[in-house]
Amino acid sequence: ETYAFELRNKLFQDDQGTTYESLLLFNPETFFFVILPPIIFFAGYDLRRKYFFRNIGSIIIYAFAGTTISCFVIGGLMYAYTQFGVETLPPGVDNLVQCLIFGALISATDPVTVLAIFHDLHVDVDLFAMVFGESVLNDAVAIVLYSG
């Protein structure tokens, strides 16, 4: 099953009046199978394995436990917030599972700017490896939580 997201009211027409709506469709499979693998490959290729594996314990704790806890806290707070009558759930969101899926979606953080600043300031390589390793594994955990 293929999912497609459309950008509405933005259609292109050529001189003959033909509308090109297919140019505006985004296929998630294209992202996961074409765009994302080179990014992950470069991140893994550029990684200094010595420092990564030296800090693997703390990286795994931050990535797995931190992302999972964040997912459940955010999803649970969103659900509790709506159950106590403060606010109603958005249209289409009607149970705890959907709130947890939202929690998984926003639990993934990408500290790209922090890593760029770390690189410019030449911070300790162990700190850089922990933040970088956590961000790589954090994304993987968030994808598993979101799709599971």
Side-chain angles (χ1 to χ4, degrees), residues 11-83:
L11 303 176
F12 297 107
Q13 291 185 350
D14 61 7
D15 295 336
Q16 289 82 20
T18 305
T19 303
Y20 293 100
E21 183 177 353
S22 64
L23 294 174
L24 301 174
L25 295 177
F26 178 75
N27 187 352
E29 282 86 15
T30 303
F31 175 75
F32 282 114
F33 296 124
V34 176
I35 298 172
L36 190 59
I39 295 171
I40 294 173
F41 174 75
F42 178 73
Y45 187 76
D46 193 41
L47 179 69
R48 295 180 182 171
R49 290 181 292 199
K50 176 177 137 183
Y51 300 111
F52 178 80
F53 287 112
R54 182 190 302 169
N55 298 301
I56 192 72
S58 57
I59 290 171
I60 287 175
I61 289 172
Y62 289 139
F64 288 86
T67 305
T68 305
I69 290 169
S70 174
C71 167
F72 283 101
V73 167
I74 291 170
L77 285 175
M78 181 179 170
Y79 187 72
Y81 182 74
T82 58
Q83 293 302 307

Side-chain angles (χ1 to χ4, degrees), residues 67 70 104-112 131 134-139 142:
T67 305
S70 174
L105 180 69
I106 65 167
S107 291
T109 58
D110 285 325
V112 175
V131 173
E134 190 273 337
S135 71
V136 171
L137 294 180
N138 178 317
D139 293 342

